[in-house]
Amino acid sequence: MIENQKIIIKENAAMLAQKATTIFNQTAKESIDRHGRFVVAISGGSTPGRMYRMLAEEPYGSAIPWDKTYIFWVDERCVPENDPASNYGAAKKDFLNRVSVPEAQVYPMPGELPPKQGAQKYQKALIDFFHLEDGRFPTFDQIFLGMGADGHTASLFPGQDALDERKRLIVAVKGGNPDVNRLTMTLPVLNRARHIVFLISGKEKAATLKTVFEDDQARLPVQKIHALDGELTWLLDRESASLLPGEMIHQTRLTV
Ligand code: 6PG
């Protein structure tokens, strides 16, 4: 296991969501103490829904310093916000509409625009927000990622050119389920986050996770995520971790 990685395994999906929510709250406070704001990027998919709903519930809803929290998206499906596939639309229902985060601090990806235009617009939004000079990449305080059973993460799918992107912050791709045009952050952005958190749940992910940790040659998109200058946490439930070698788990900080 690489030094800046740890695995946390929780008994079930509810406990997993609770741990993720606690981590969000803790990192928010630490980031604000350090530099006055918390800048986080979140994912879509079904796994984080439970965590997002918990963010709006007590004790978290009023404990999280929403007034200094800035929310971005790791990826988005190119659909209107009211489409059930919209990551922003889902997050609005799950928590954004129910917490006191100022609207101006929420940065949805422009899923309604033609994909390339949307990618350029969001890249510009990141450049402006982080005051980036040419060729530089942003540093998010925290990024939450999921993993598909095919080993994709964000909207970086196996075999696609987007995995080789080294300059752009955001690219347009097509694929996944639903198989639609999408916008995604690129690896240089994801890998520079101070804290990368994978949130993975369910037995359908178990075989993929085993491959991730045991087969270096598998070249899954997930295996290209490395915390370059930060830390990476694998937050798993017992089902998704069920095929991981016991020995590897014992070497990590296992919290069941
Ligand atoms: C998106 C994602 C994607 C997701 C994984 C896992 O499709 O919007 O951000 O990378 O995290 O597909 O999705 P599930 O949680 O639904 O398994």
Side-chain angles (χ1 to χ4, degrees):
M1 202 76 204
I2 303 169
E3 257 180 32
N4 63 351
Q5 291 197 33
K6 72 178 171 199
I7 301 182
I8 297 174
I9 302 174
K10 290 290 178 185
E11 188 56 42
N12 54 42
M15 289 167 78
L16 185 75
Q18 187 166 14
K19 182 67 182 172
T21 310
T22 306
I23 289 178
F24 183 105
N25 186 25
Q26 264 167 4
T27 315
K29 290 184 170 141
E30 284 162 16
S31 304
I32 291 163
D33 282 350
R34 194 169 51 227
H35 55 229
R37 66 184 188 183
F38 173 49
V39 189
V40 60
I42 61 173
S43 286
S46 55
T47 312
R50 211 186 268 261
M51 165 198 174
Y52 296 160
R53 289 187 290 280
M54 220 174 253
L55 285 171
E57 287 157 15
E58 294 311 317
Y60 304 103
S62 46
I64 293 168
W66 294 110
D67 59 328
K68 295 191 171 78
T69 296
Y70 295 76
I71 298 173
F72 289 81
W73 270 261
V74 159
D75 69 335
E76 181 59 278
R77 295 88 183 266
C78 295
V79 295
E81 164 194 330
N82 58 3
D83 188 299
S86 165
N87 288 342
Y88 171 57
K92 259 175 97 169
K93 282 195 209 114
D94 282 337
F95 75 105
L96 293 171
N97 280 346
R98 300 159 55 208
V99 299
S100 55
V101 62
E103 209 179 321
Q105 292 173 202
V106 178
Y107 291 79
M109 285 182 158
E112 70 291 351
L113 291 181
K116 281 193 179 152
Q117 204 180 315
Q120 282 166 5
K121 186 170 177 193
Y122 206 65
Q123 170 159 302
K124 172 83 168 52
L126 290 182
I127 290 172
D128 291 347
F129 181 85
F130 286 97
H131 305 294
L132 298 177
E133 286 164 24
D134 256 10
R136 304 301 296 242
F137 294 97
T139 300
F140 280 84
D141 293 311
Q142 191 153 57
I143 287 189
F144 284 90
L145 292 173
M147 180 190 81
D150 63 353
H152 80 262
T153 189
S155 283
L156 297 168
F157 296 99
Q160 293 197 350
D161 293 346
L163 287 164
D164 299 321
E165 182 60 46
R166 296 290 172 266
K167 291 193 177 131
R168 287 177 292 172
L169 314 185
I170 306 293
V171 292
V173 299
K174 183 169 182 301
N177 180 18
D179 184 6
V180 291
N181 289 314
R182 292 158 177 257
L183 305 177
T184 185
M185 287 187 177
T186 56
L187 288 171
V189 178
L190 298 174
N191 284 341
R192 270 177 186 79
R194 291 194 176 86
H195 189 195
I196 302 168
V197 182
F198 274 109
L199 190 60
I200 301 174
S201 156
K203 58 179 182 305
E204 65 283 4
K205 307 284 173 71
T208 316
L209 265 183
K210 181 177 161 66
T211 305
V212 168
F213 288 106
E214 290 189 339
D215 182 2
D216 290 349
Q217 304 305 312
R219 292 164 200 259
L220 298 176
V222 166
Q223 292 172 306
K224 295 180 187 291
I225 297 293
H226 305 286
L228 293 177
D229 198 19
E231 52 173 327
L232 193 161
T233 300
W234 295 89
L235 204 43
L236 314 175
D237 68 352
R238 197 181 265 286
E239 284 189 345
S240 66
S242 58
L243 298 178
L244 295 186
E247 167 199 315
M248 190 190 94
I249 291 175
H250 288 307
Q251 284 167 15
T252 64
R253 276 188 246 168
L254 170 68
T255 348
V256 181

